[in-house]
């Protein structure tokens, strides 16, 4: 187990946010460095496929550097087993990972496609329909709050902000309606699930809504005119 953890992160980044939620669940002591993704330090990997999230055992060059949000969430679960975010039962663990797979392969591509390229909203609806079908009648994905809920929360939180503020490439004025569509009616279960996720203390203490709203506005303000 590392003696010290340093997390290089960015409030805007949904991937890095996963790790912050995991650390908050674990009540872990760590040093947090906010990185400006538009002006990254030299040592930060240039590729956008690599997360800006590295727990380090010490700040020295010899320190252990790890990346990739889902790897880091499980790393936190491994070194802080008392956090309870990794289900003890192997079946529940597999179910949590199965849900995460759906977030990665269905929800995230559909959301970014819609947000950035005005891809059909039906893709987003069908990804959410699929994930909703995996949810139990109430509570979190495997009952207790787990890695599965951590994987999706930052994306739902940013989708809400982008949609209620009408930020994105999709037609102007559609955002609020779409957020209402995906949280009520046939998506009422997702709506209740999102409320439960947003009420979680580990989410509340790690989400700077004003900062993320402003950052989304800055990043994506010109999308419709491009
Ligand atoms: N698969 C990575 C994805 C991380 C990722 O794409 N992060 C974005 C920020 S949200 C990034 O690296 N942006 C930096 C850049 O584009 O240079 C993970 O799960 O950690």
């Amino acid at each position: 187990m590392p003696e010290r953890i340093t997390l290089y992160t960015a409030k805007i980044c949904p991937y890095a946010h996963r790790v912050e939620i995991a650390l908050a669940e674990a009540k872990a002591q760590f040093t947090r460095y906010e990185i400006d993704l538009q002006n990254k330090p030299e040592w930060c990997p240039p590729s956008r496929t690599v997360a800006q999230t590295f727990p380090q055992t010490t700040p020295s060059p010899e320190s252990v550097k790890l990346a990739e949000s889902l790897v880091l969430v499980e790393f936190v679960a491994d070194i802080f087993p008392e956090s309870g975010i990794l289900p003890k039962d192997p079946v529940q663990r597999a179910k949590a990972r199965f849900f995460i797979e759906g977030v990665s392969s269905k929800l995230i591509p559909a959301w970014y496609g819609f947000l950035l390229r005005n891809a059909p909203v039906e893709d987003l609806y069908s990804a959410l329909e699929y994930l909703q079908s995996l949810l139990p009648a109430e509570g979190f994905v495997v009952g207790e709050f787990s890695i599965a809920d951590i994987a999706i929360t930052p994306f739902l939180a940013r989708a809400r902000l982008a949609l209620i503020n009408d930020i994105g490439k999709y037609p102007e004025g559609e955002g609020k309606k779409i957020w209402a569509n995906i949280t009520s009616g046939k998506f009422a279960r997702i709506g209740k699930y999102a409320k439960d996720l947003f009420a979680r203390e580990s989410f509340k203490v790690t989400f700077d809504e004003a900062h993320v709203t402003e950052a989304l506005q800055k990043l994506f303000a010109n999308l419709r005119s491009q």
Side-chain angles (χ1 to χ4, degrees), residues 101-153:
E101 210 290 315
V103 172
S104 302
S105 66
K106 294 182 168 51
L107 179 63
I108 296 177
W111 166 242
Y112 281 128
F114 177 69
L115 176 77
L116 305 177
R117 295 186 298 281
N118 189 25
V121 71
E122 286 71 26
D123 295 352
L124 179 62
Y125 292 158
S126 66
L128 286 169
E129 206 168 341
Y130 169 75
L131 291 172
Q132 182 171 255
S133 76
L134 302 181
L135 293 174
E138 42 185 59
F140 298 113
V141 174
V142 293
E144 294 297 305
F145 187 82
S146 77
I147 56 170
D149 310 296
I150 292 175
I152 194 173
T153 303

Side-chain angles (χ1 to χ4, degrees), residues 18-19 22-23 55 66-81 83 85-87 93-94 96-98 100 146-148 150-151:
R18 289 169 162 170
V19 188
L23 287 164
L66 303 171
E68 279 299 320
S69 60
L70 294 173
V71 173
L72 295 177
V73 167
E74 292 228 13
F75 175 72
V76 172
D78 282 342
I79 60 173
F80 298 105
S83 67
I85 56 175
L86 194 59
R93 213 178 263 213
R97 289 178 176 143
F98 188 75
I100 293 172
S146 77
I147 56 170
I150 292 175

Side-chain angles (χ1 to χ4, degrees), residues 5-206:
I5 294 174
T6 305
L7 183 73
Y8 297 93
T9 181
K11 288 180 179 178
I12 177 75
C13 179
Y15 299 97
H17 190 190
R18 289 169 162 170
V19 188
E20 297 206 36
I21 295 174
L23 287 164
E25 286 289 329
K27 301 192 172 35
Q29 295 289 315
F30 68 102
T31 308
R32 184 188 185 283
Y33 280 108
E34 176 77 11
I35 287 180
D36 178 357
L37 291 177
Q38 310 312 120
N39 188 16
K40 292 199 299 186
E42 257 173 40
W43 53 264
C44 220
S47 159
R48 99 168 280 299
T49 57
V50 185
Q52 276 64 56
T53 44
F54 301 87
Q56 295 191 177
T57 50
T58 77
S60 71
E62 297 78 37
S63 62
V64 176
K65 297 173 187 68
L66 303 171
E68 279 299 320
S69 60
L70 294 173
V71 173
L72 295 177
V73 167
E74 292 228 13
F75 175 72
V76 172
D78 282 342
I79 60 173
F80 298 105
E82 67 284 1
S83 67
I85 56 175
L86 194 59
K88 286 200 175 64
D89 173 31
V91 173
Q92 296 296 75
R93 213 178 263 213
K95 283 190 175 172
R97 289 178 176 143
F98 188 75
F99 184 88
I100 293 172
E101 210 290 315
V103 172
S104 302
S105 66
K106 294 182 168 51
L107 179 63
I108 296 177
W111 166 242
Y112 281 128
F114 177 69
L115 176 77
L116 305 177
R117 295 186 298 281
N118 189 25
V121 71
E122 286 71 26
D123 295 352
L124 179 62
Y125 292 158
S126 66
L128 286 169
E129 206 168 341
Y130 169 75
L131 291 172
Q132 182 171 255
S133 76
L134 302 181
L135 293 174
E138 42 185 59
F140 298 113
V141 174
V142 293
E144 294 297 305
F145 187 82
S146 77
I147 56 170
D149 310 296
I150 292 175
I152 194 173
T153 303
F155 292 92
L156 287 181
R158 283 157 185 76
R160 176 184 158 268
L161 283 190
L163 291 170
I164 66 174
N165 290 292
D166 216 34
I167 301 166
K169 179 92 174 163
Y170 52 86
E172 206 166 347
E174 287 294 297
K176 280 200 178 84
K177 270 187 266 174
I178 289 165
W179 179 252
N181 285 349
I182 61 177
T183 49
S184 62
K186 75 178 214 182
F187 288 114
R189 178 66 187 98
I190 284 280
K192 172 69 173 68
Y193 177 56
K195 263 197 192 140
D196 291 344
L197 295 175
F198 300 159
R200 188 88 183 166
E201 197 55 27
S202 61
F203 168 73
K204 291 199 277 187
V205 298
T206 54

